[in-house]
């Protein structure tokens, strides 16, 4: 036995604490003796090799197959989906080429065709586990299919995509098995049965959750208007990167830049078309929604009521104005009639006044102005003029004329005329 080499330890640093200042922070646990049993599939595999070293490869594969079978038996108990719910695996599905993964239905690969975008993460994990246990290459190799791992690669790719939130959104955005059709505004049938599933399908793309429900025929006007306002301004996360064209192997930098530019342009075009599709969906829904038609009728009645009230008020104002104008016209006509009557009376009175003046003048003229000689005629004319100047109304002239005529008949006219003049 060779001697052990000497090990020289370095000196203690000056900054190190002295032996009396050291502290014990823990202690070593007591020694415990454990017994380890050589068990497990790999120990069994080793024992088989000792017994039969000539069949090494087959025994190795069998050990792995036993291990996978044991794990499968244990894992199946944790899977809530029973075998009756498993989707049928067609020959076309099992023969998928993993290199063509972009063209594959990842939900179908994992057996989730029925759930698709509604599948939860737990559903995906359980479905993946079942598929892995069923199609693991080691298990296939144990069954004699040594190089059959194509579908297993498809399973792995599908699982990678559906468990990555961003990649799953890209796939869900272009999932060809989910319809993007929208009903027309003239489609016959129950509105809520036709449009309800469509809005529910499209609601998964909204960044704002929860999405307002479509409601029913009894929904309030506020809820219905809020629903359509939300959909007209929906903030959609739907993206189209999944449809990007892949770069050709060996392409240069210019080719890559061109491909990136082309993909961005195509994504923008597809996004704009999708936004227009959603707007058309909302437009068609509004046209077909019986509640919106009811609201329009209510609005029309309100507008008509306001219009009728306005027209009625205008009619009353016109009638009042017309009545006022007619009353003013009648008053003006009445005033004009009165004025005309008064004018006529004045004219008649003036005529009578002039007539009496002429009669009085004629009376004086015929009586030679009641003068006894020609020299007294001027005095008689003066008396007449004085009487005509003093008497300004018809009645007074009539009274003077009648008084003079009576005096003339009595033979004392000169004295009466002088008396009349003296009283003026």
């Amino acid at each position: 036995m060779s001697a052990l080499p000497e090990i020289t330890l370095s000196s203690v640093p000056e900054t190190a604490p002295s032996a009396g200042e050291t502290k014990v922070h823990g202690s070593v646990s007591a020694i415990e003796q454990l017994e380890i049993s050589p068990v497990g599939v790999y120990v069994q595999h080793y024992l088989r090799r000792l017994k039969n070293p000539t069949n090494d490869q087959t025994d190795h594969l069998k050990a792995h197959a036993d291990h996978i079978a044991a794990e499968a038996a244990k894992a199946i108990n944790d899977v809530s989906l029973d075998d009756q719910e498993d989707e049928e695996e067609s020959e076309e599905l099992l023969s998928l080429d993993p290199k063509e993964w972009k063209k594959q239905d990842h939900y179908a690969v994992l057996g989730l065709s029925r759930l698709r975008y509604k599948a939860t993460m737990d559903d995906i994990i359980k479905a993946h586990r079942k598929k892995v246990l069923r199609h693991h290459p080691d298990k296939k190799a144990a069954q004699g299919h040594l190089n059959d791992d194509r579908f297993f690669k498809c399973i792995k790719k599908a699982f990678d995509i559906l468990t990555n939130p961003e990649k799953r959104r890209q796939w869900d955005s272009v999932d060809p098995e989910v319809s993007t059709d929208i009903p027309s505004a003239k489609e016959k049938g129950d509105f809520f049965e036709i449009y309800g599933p469509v809005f529910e399908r499209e609601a998964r793309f909204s960044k704002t959750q929860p999405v307002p429900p479509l409601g029913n025929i009894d929904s309030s006007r506020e809820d219905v208007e809020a629903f359509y306002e939300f959909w007209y301004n929906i903030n959609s996360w739907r993206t189209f990167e999944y449809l990007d064209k892949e770069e050709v192997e060996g392409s240069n930098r210019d080719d890559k830049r061109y491909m990136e530019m082309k993909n961005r342009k195509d994504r923008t075009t597809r996004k704009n078309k999708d936004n227009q599709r959603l707007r058309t969906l909302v437009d068609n829904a509004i046209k077909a929604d019986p509640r919106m038609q009811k609201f329009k009728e209510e609005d029309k009645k309100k507008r008509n009521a306001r219009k009728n009230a306005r027209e009625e008020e205008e009619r009353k104002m016109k009638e009042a104005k017309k009545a006022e104008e007619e009353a003013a016209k009648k008053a003006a006509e009445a005033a004009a009639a009165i004025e005309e009557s008064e004018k006529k009376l004045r004219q008649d009175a003036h005529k009578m006044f002039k007539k009496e003046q002429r009669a009085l003048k004629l009376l004086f003229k015929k009586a030679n102005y009641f003068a006894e000689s020609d020299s007294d005629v001027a005095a008689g004319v003066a008396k007449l003029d004085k009487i005509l100047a003093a008497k300004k109304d018809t009645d007074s002239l009539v009274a003077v004329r009648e008084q003079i005529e009576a005096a003339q008949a009595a033979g004392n006219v000169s004295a009466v005329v002088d008396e009349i003049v003296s009283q003026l």
Side-chain angles (χ1 to χ4, degrees):
M1 184 175 180
S2 60
L4 295 174
E6 288 188 9
I7 300 176
T8 304
L9 299 177
S10 60
S11 61
V12 179
E14 296 180 358
T15 57
S18 61
E21 296 177 353
T22 57
K23 295 181 181 179
V24 178
H25 297 280
S27 59
V28 180
S29 60
I31 298 175
E32 182 180 356
Q33 185 175 357
L34 298 175
E35 293 184 1
I36 301 176
S37 300
V39 296
V41 294
Y42 295 102
V43 175
Q44 295 173 9
H45 165 59
Y46 177 72
L47 294 176
R48 289 194 195 99
R49 288 185 62 189
L50 293 177
K51 293 180 180 180
N52 188 13
T54 58
N55 196 11
D56 182 62
Q57 183 180 7
T58 304
D59 189 58
H60 170 72
L61 295 175
K62 189 174 186 307
H64 277 279
D66 291 343
H67 174 67
I68 293 300
E71 290 293 325
K74 179 182 178 182
I76 285 294
N77 294 328
D78 298 332
V79 180
S80 61
L81 301 174
D82 54 34
D83 291 339
Q84 294 180 353
E85 295 181 344
D86 289 349
E87 295 181 0
E88 182 180 355
E89 296 177 337
S90 64
E91 290 295 330
E92 181 181 0
L93 182 68
L94 296 176
S95 62
L96 290 175
D97 184 355
K99 294 180 181 179
E100 300 291 332
W101 60 271
K102 265 205 168 185
K103 300 179 181 179
Q104 296 171 11
D105 183 348
H106 303 300
Y107 287 114
V109 170
L110 293 184
L112 296 171
S113 297
R114 294 189 300 272
L115 295 177
R116 309 202 75 79
Y117 64 87
K118 296 180 181 179
T120 64
M121 186 60 67
D122 190 52
D123 294 331
I124 295 172
I125 292 174
K126 289 180 179 179
H128 172 257
R129 183 182 298 172
K130 292 182 70 173
K131 290 289 184 179
V132 167
L133 295 176
R134 184 177 301 162
H135 297 283
H136 196 281
D138 290 343
K139 187 173 182 179
K140 291 288 185 71
Q143 297 172 354
H145 306 285
L146 298 180
N147 296 318
D148 190 6
D149 63 345
R150 292 178 303 171
F151 189 63
F152 183 78
K153 291 180 179 179
C154 295
I155 294 172
K156 185 178 182 303
K157 189 64 177 180
F159 183 73
D160 291 343
I161 290 175
L162 298 182
T163 53
N164 182 304
E166 182 179 357
K167 292 181 179 179
R168 185 181 182 186
R169 282 191 172 189
Q170 293 176 1
W171 163 248
D172 284 341
S173 296
V174 298
D175 187 352
E177 297 301 321
V178 179
S179 174
T180 57
D181 295 338
I182 59 175
S184 68
K186 298 181 180 180
E187 190 158 342
K188 304 295 183 181
D190 183 88
F191 170 79
F192 300 97
E193 292 181 358
I194 294 173
Y195 281 88
V198 178
F199 279 109
E200 181 182 357
R201 179 193 73 200
E202 299 296 332
R204 74 188 193 276
F205 294 122
S206 175
K207 291 182 179 179
T208 303
Q209 296 291 340
V211 175
L214 178 61
N216 52 50
I217 192 65
D218 298 320
S219 296
S220 66
R221 186 186 189 115
E222 292 76 13
D223 291 342
V224 176
E225 290 178 348
F227 173 82
Y228 287 116
E229 180 69 18
F230 175 88
W231 279 98
Y232 268 131
N233 299 283
I234 185 172
N235 188 6
S236 173
W237 55 257
R238 190 177 189 188
T239 181
F240 296 91
E241 283 89 350
Y242 193 89
L243 300 179
D244 286 354
K245 294 181 179 179
E246 295 294 323
E247 297 177 358
V248 179
E249 186 176 354
S251 57
N252 57 34
R253 184 173 59 182
D254 291 338
D255 292 338
K256 291 180 179 179
R257 288 180 178 176
Y258 173 78
M259 186 61 66
E260 290 175 0
M261 181 183 67
K262 185 72 166 57
N263 286 333
R264 283 197 301 270
K265 183 178 179 181
D266 291 344
R267 287 197 298 267
T268 301
T269 301
R270 294 186 181 104
K271 185 66 176 179
N272 291 338
K273 287 183 179 180
D274 188 64
N275 290 338
Q276 183 58 45
R277 182 183 65 88
L278 287 177
R279 180 167 287 275
T280 303
L281 168 64
V282 180
D283 290 341
N284 291 349
I286 289 177
K287 293 177 183 178
D289 194 335
R291 300 169 301 182
M292 295 301 292
Q293 296 173 6
K294 180 180 69 174
F295 298 151
K296 288 181 180 179
E297 289 296 327
E298 293 175 355
D299 292 342
K300 184 178 180 180
K301 289 180 180 179
K302 289 180 181 178
R303 288 195 302 271
N304 290 340
R306 289 194 296 268
K307 180 181 178 182
N308 293 338
R310 185 171 62 254
E311 290 178 350
E312 180 65 16
E313 184 178 356
E314 291 175 355
R315 184 185 64 79
K316 289 181 179 179
M317 290 177 63
K318 288 180 180 180
E319 289 181 353
K321 184 177 180 180
K322 184 177 180 181
E324 184 179 352
E325 291 175 351
E326 289 180 353
K329 183 179 179 181
K330 288 181 179 179
E333 290 175 352
I338 293 172
E339 177 67 22
E340 185 67 23
S341 177
E342 292 177 350
K343 181 179 179 181
K344 191 173 184 305
L345 290 174
R346 286 195 302 271
Q347 290 176 350
D348 292 343
H350 183 69
K351 289 178 180 179
M352 290 297 296
F353 180 73
K354 291 296 184 180
K355 183 179 178 181
E356 288 299 327
Q357 281 185 336
R358 287 193 301 271
L360 187 60
K361 287 178 180 180
L362 183 61
L363 177 63
F364 269 77
K365 186 177 182 180
K366 285 182 178 182
N368 197 27
Y369 299 98
F370 305 111
E372 294 180 357
S373 62
D374 293 336
S375 59
D376 295 331
V377 172
V381 172
K383 292 177 182 178
L384 175 62
D385 292 338
K386 193 173 183 179
I387 291 172
L388 293 175
K391 301 300 181 181
K392 296 297 185 182
D393 59 273
T394 304
D395 292 340
S396 61
L397 286 176
V398 171
V400 168
R401 181 179 57 77
E402 290 178 352
Q403 187 178 2
I404 292 173
E405 287 177 348
Q408 191 178 17
N412 59 344
V413 64
S414 296
V416 171
V417 171
D418 291 339
E419 183 180 359
I420 292 172
V421 171
S422 63
Q423 294 178 353
L424 297 176

